[in-house]
Amino acid sequence: MERRYDTLLFPGGKSRAFTLSYDDGVVQDRRLAALLRDCGLKCTFNISAGLLGVQEVGTIGGMPELDVSKLSEHELAEVYAGHEIAGHSLYHSALDSLGTPRMTYEILEDKRRLEAISGKPLKTFAYPYGLVSDDVVRTLRLAGYKAARTVVSTHDFGIPQDFLRWNPTCHHEEPELMELAQRFVNDTREFGPLLFYVWGHAYEFAGRDNWDIIERLAEYISAHADSIWFATNGEIADYVAAYRALEYSVDGSMIYNPSALDVTILTRRCPLVLPAGQISCADC
């Protein structure tokens, strides 16, 4: 046996992945979801099912008064086609302060309603106001969530150890956004795999009249589709979980992939695809 440095690669043998996450299910998501879809990008949209269809005008974060109405239930399939619908608590409540019974209800009922609308189990969640506690994390896990996003920027491209405390790379309004994007694409000194995660609220583009921020980012990232996997939060969480579930023989000559996803790794400088449910020879 010899020293090994097996490394995760994303589908297609790519060493980079890009994902986005936008909150609240607001009417500005219509424009954002279409823009991203036209660029071939994928986004996870976090929705509070109890607020669907609510008409609201407000002032947020120093922005002028703007429409922050929520999409109706009947729009979701069309608006979010090709993207992912995710949980955000039933009424966008501060979950860490509700007490366990109410907090549990808000998580489960939001998930139940959104699953009925989307026709599929929800995998991911975003913490309202970024508020996280051990009790909330435990309840999300029991509810079947695989990943949940915070609002803590890392300014790096690491893969989280705990996907239920998933810190994004940055918010789209941070001044480092395009610098980070360029580093993500171009800096070969970065040790892969790399994951670039941007989040925000679509109403911020309307309130600050700066749609050019996301247009510029989407155009730049999509131009590098040959080397970047564009995925939803749920797709990334599932893929990394499949990689982490790989089973090696003692001498490393065999690898069993027990998941339902094909997984690609880099071993001995050679990409190796490990088919779902099969044992593969690790020699390459």
Side-chain angles (χ1 to χ4, degrees), residues 29-46:
D29 282 356
R30 297 172 185 143
R31 177 173 175 176
L32 177 61
L35 184 160
L36 297 175
R37 189 164 47 242
D38 289 346
C39 290
L41 305 181
K42 292 185 177 184
C43 182
T44 294
F45 288 93
N46 309 293

Side-chain angles (χ1 to χ4, degrees), residues 192-215:
L194 307 181
L195 171 58
F196 187 18
Y197 188 155
V198 176
W199 78 281
H201 306 86
Y203 63 70
E204 293 164 328
F205 299 122
R208 296 193 170 92
D209 192 24
N210 59 7
W211 281 96
D212 61 297
I213 288 178
I214 193 65
E215 291 167 350

Side-chain angles (χ1 to χ4, degrees), residues 109-128:
E109 182 60 12
D110 181 51
K111 191 171 190 285
R112 186 195 68 79
R113 293 190 194 182
L114 292 175
E115 288 176 342
I117 293 169
S118 65
K120 62 182 69 174
L122 265 63
K123 297 176 182 290
T124 64
F125 185 88
Y127 295 101

Side-chain angles (χ1 to χ4, degrees), residues 102-230:
R102 176 70 188 195
M103 176 264 290
T104 302
Y105 170 73
E106 287 238 11
I107 290 172
L108 289 176
E109 182 60 12
D110 181 51
K111 191 171 190 285
R112 186 195 68 79
R113 293 190 194 182
L114 292 175
E115 288 176 342
I117 293 169
S118 65
K120 62 182 69 174
L122 265 63
K123 297 176 182 290
T124 64
F125 185 88
Y127 295 101
Y129 312 106
L131 298 173
V132 186
S133 72
D134 290 343
D135 284 344
V136 176
V137 171
R138 186 179 306 111
T139 303
L140 290 175
R141 182 176 289 110
L142 291 171
Y145 279 112
K146 307 302 181 185
R149 194 212 74 225
T150 74
V151 297
V152 179
S153 296
T154 64
H155 292 171
D156 65 31
F157 312 117
I159 295 176
Q161 288 301 309
D162 182 357
F163 272 91
L164 286 171
R165 297 177 186 268
W166 191 350
N167 297 327
T169 303
C170 68
H171 185 280
H172 70 247
E173 289 188 336
E174 294 183 48
E176 301 91 346
L177 177 66
M178 290 308 298
E179 178 185 341
L180 286 165
Q182 291 163 8
R183 197 180 99 200
F184 171 71
V185 167
N186 296 318
D187 194 342
T188 57
R189 293 171 299 175
E190 296 277 1
F191 181 76
L194 307 181
L195 171 58
F196 187 18
Y197 188 155
V198 176
W199 78 281
H201 306 86
Y203 63 70
E204 293 164 328
F205 299 122
R208 296 193 170 92
D209 192 24
N210 59 7
W211 281 96
D212 61 297
I213 288 178
I214 193 65
E215 291 167 350
R216 188 166 63 251
L217 177 67
E219 181 180 2
Y220 179 75
I221 292 293
S222 64
H224 300 277
D226 59 332
S227 61
I228 302 172
W229 180 39
F230 305 140

Side-chain angles (χ1 to χ4, degrees), residues 3-33:
R3 185 176 297 175
R4 292 273 291 278
Y5 295 100
D6 291 5
T7 304
L8 167 69
L9 291 175
F10 297 113
K14 298 175 180 180
S15 62
R16 290 166 168 78
F18 179 74
T19 193
L20 304 105
S21 175
Y22 277 78
D23 295 353
D24 297 348
V26 289
V27 291
Q28 292 84 1
D29 282 356
R30 297 172 185 143
R31 177 173 175 176
L32 177 61

